[in-house]
């Protein structure tokens, strides 16, 4: 696991210019990260703020209460299912939600993930309530931007993209630039991580030696997981895709999922 945390403000960043900026918020179970972009440039970001700072801001009061050009809030999911657009109907969201075993204290959302799939997911009510401070119309599935970013980067059929977050990994794969696979797994060690990747590789009918793995999220350049995975798969490297211009002191792979929420703002896909 990476011990890296990011906290950056551009020298020219000013909340007086907030109407030019997009505010991106990505919520986890108990914390959230934010980024502020000015067109295609990152001007501020920070992570690991407590969730109650959204509903009762103290340290970030001025920043969170400013009037932005657009706000995008990425919501985490306790569980999700993908439904082909051709089969989805808003009238049947409750029926689809039965697959998620929704518990008291959870709420269900349904949104287009891409042009072919709708994602139906459940989120803790406390997180939904926090997001309501910014208008639920501004909320998206937390990894939507990340998936969009990869799709726009012409992924090869033998590429696997991994987003690591503590003891969870999201895996996405494409075929002919169309989403072929997306899922999330909880793992405890390198062997379990390798096992889940191998399961996906087998399900996709790929040969491990042909697979290229691109990692982003909670990982560093010298992370032992890179060396471990390289023993089983053809290539393993950090995903250095940049969605916005970032300063040298910020690592592109560690902020990729958050920065990619800017694609949801620019596309009007919120």
């Amino acid at each position: 696991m990476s011990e890296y945390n990011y906290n950056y403000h551009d020298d020219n960043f000013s909340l007086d210019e907030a109407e030019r900026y997009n505010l991106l918020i990505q919520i986890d179970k108990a914390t959230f990260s934010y980024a502020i972009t000015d067109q295609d440039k990152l001007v501020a970001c920070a992570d690991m703020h407590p969730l109650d700072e959204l509903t009762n801001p103290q340290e970030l009061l001025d920043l969170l209460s400013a009037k932005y050009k657009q706000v995008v809030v990425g919501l985490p999911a306790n569980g999700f299912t993908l439904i082909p657009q051709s089969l989805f109907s808003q009238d049947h969201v409750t029926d689809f939600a039965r697959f998620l075993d929704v518990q008291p204290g959870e709420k269900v959302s349904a949104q287009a993930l891409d042009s072919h799939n709708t994602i139906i997911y459940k989120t803790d009510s406390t997180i939904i309530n926090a997001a309501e401070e910014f208008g639920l119309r501004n909320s998206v599935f937390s990894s939507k931007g990340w998936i969009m970013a990869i799709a726009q980067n012409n992924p090869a059929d033998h590429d696997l993209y991994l987003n690591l977050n503590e003891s969870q990994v999201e895996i996405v794969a494409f075929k002919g630039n169309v989403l072929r696979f997306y899922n999330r797994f909880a793992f405890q060690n390198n062997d379990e991580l390798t096992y889940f990747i191998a399961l996906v590789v087998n399900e996709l009918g790929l040969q491990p030696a042909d697979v290229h793995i691109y990692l982003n999220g909670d990982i560093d350049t010298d992370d032992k997981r890179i060396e471990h995975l390289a023993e089983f798969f053809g290539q393993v490297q950090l995903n250095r895709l940049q969605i916005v211009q970032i300063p040298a002191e910020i690592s592109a792979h560690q902020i990729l999922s958050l920065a990619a929420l800017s694609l949801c703002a620019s596309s009007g896909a919120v």
Side-chain angles (χ1 to χ4, degrees):
M1 182 187 302
S2 166
E3 296 181 355
Y4 177 85
N5 299 114
Y6 48 82
N7 191 328
Y8 167 77
H9 281 197
D10 186 275
D11 290 341
N12 295 319
F13 169 68
S14 171
L15 288 176
D16 293 336
E17 304 290 333
E19 291 184 357
R20 292 172 38 192
Y21 302 154
N22 287 330
L23 171 64
L24 315 174
I25 298 174
Q26 192 168 51
I27 303 177
D28 205 340
K29 289 182 178 180
T31 64
F32 70 94
S33 304
Y34 74 82
I36 299 174
T37 60
D38 182 2
Q39 298 184 27
D40 63 347
K41 180 183 179 182
L42 180 73
V43 294
C45 65
D47 66 346
M48 300 300 291
H49 284 282
L51 191 58
D52 59 8
E53 185 71 14
L54 286 178
T55 54
N56 184 27
Q58 303 294 322
E59 178 185 352
L60 301 178
L61 177 60
D62 291 342
L63 186 143
L64 293 176
S65 61
K67 301 298 183 182
Y68 292 93
K69 178 181 179 181
Q70 192 166 355
V71 178
V72 181
V73 181
L75 298 177
N78 295 338
F80 60 86
T81 185
L82 295 184
I83 305 295
Q85 291 279 29
S86 58
L87 299 178
F88 176 73
S89 168
Q90 191 70 39
D91 295 336
H92 295 113
V93 169
T94 301
D95 297 326
F96 290 127
R98 291 174 182 170
F99 293 106
L100 301 180
D101 187 26
V102 180
Q103 300 296 311
E106 294 179 326
K107 293 185 178 180
V108 174
S109 302
Q111 296 165 346
L113 186 64
D114 59 16
S115 59
H116 299 281
N117 300 281
T118 292
I119 187 165
I120 300 174
Y121 60 102
K122 60 180 183 177
T123 303
D124 288 341
S125 298
T126 54
I127 293 176
I128 295 290
N129 293 339
E132 284 181 337
E133 298 290 328
F134 303 93
L136 286 181
R137 68 187 182 281
N138 296 322
S139 66
V140 298
F141 176 62
S142 186
S143 294
K144 177 173 181 169
W146 176 67
I147 294 171
M148 290 175 64
I150 295 168
Q152 294 178 9
N153 200 43
N154 298 315
D157 295 353
H158 56 258
D159 292 345
L160 289 186
Y161 293 84
L162 277 61
N163 182 34
L164 294 162
N165 183 8
E166 295 184 351
S167 59
Q168 284 195 142
V169 59
E170 295 175 279
I171 304 178
V172 67
F174 291 79
K175 185 173 184 179
N177 268 17
V178 176
L179 182 66
R180 184 182 182 191
F181 179 92
Y182 172 72
N183 209 342
R184 182 182 66 196
F185 305 93
F187 67 95
Q188 298 299 321
N189 52 53
N190 288 347
D191 289 335
E192 287 190 6
L193 176 61
T194 304
Y195 170 76
F196 286 123
I197 298 172
L199 278 182
V200 174
V201 168
N202 182 67
E203 181 174 335
L204 297 178
L206 302 173
Q207 296 299 315
D210 297 331
V211 171
H212 294 183
I213 294 175
Y214 296 88
L215 301 154
N216 66 266
D218 190 19
I219 190 167
D220 280 327
T221 304
D222 57 354
D223 196 297
K224 293 182 179 179
R225 287 174 290 189
I226 297 176
E227 181 179 348
H228 183 77
L229 293 175
E231 297 177 9
F232 301 93
F233 305 103
Q235 287 188 22
V236 182
Q237 62 191 80
L238 296 177
N239 188 347
R240 302 190 185 278
L241 178 63
Q242 290 195 31
I243 307 305
V244 295
Q245 298 177 44
I246 60 174
E249 58 262 41
I250 299 291
S251 297
H253 70 276
Q254 289 178 316
I255 200 174
L256 175 57
S257 180
L258 172 61
L261 287 174
S262 62
L263 296 176
C264 300
S266 61
S267 70
V270 178

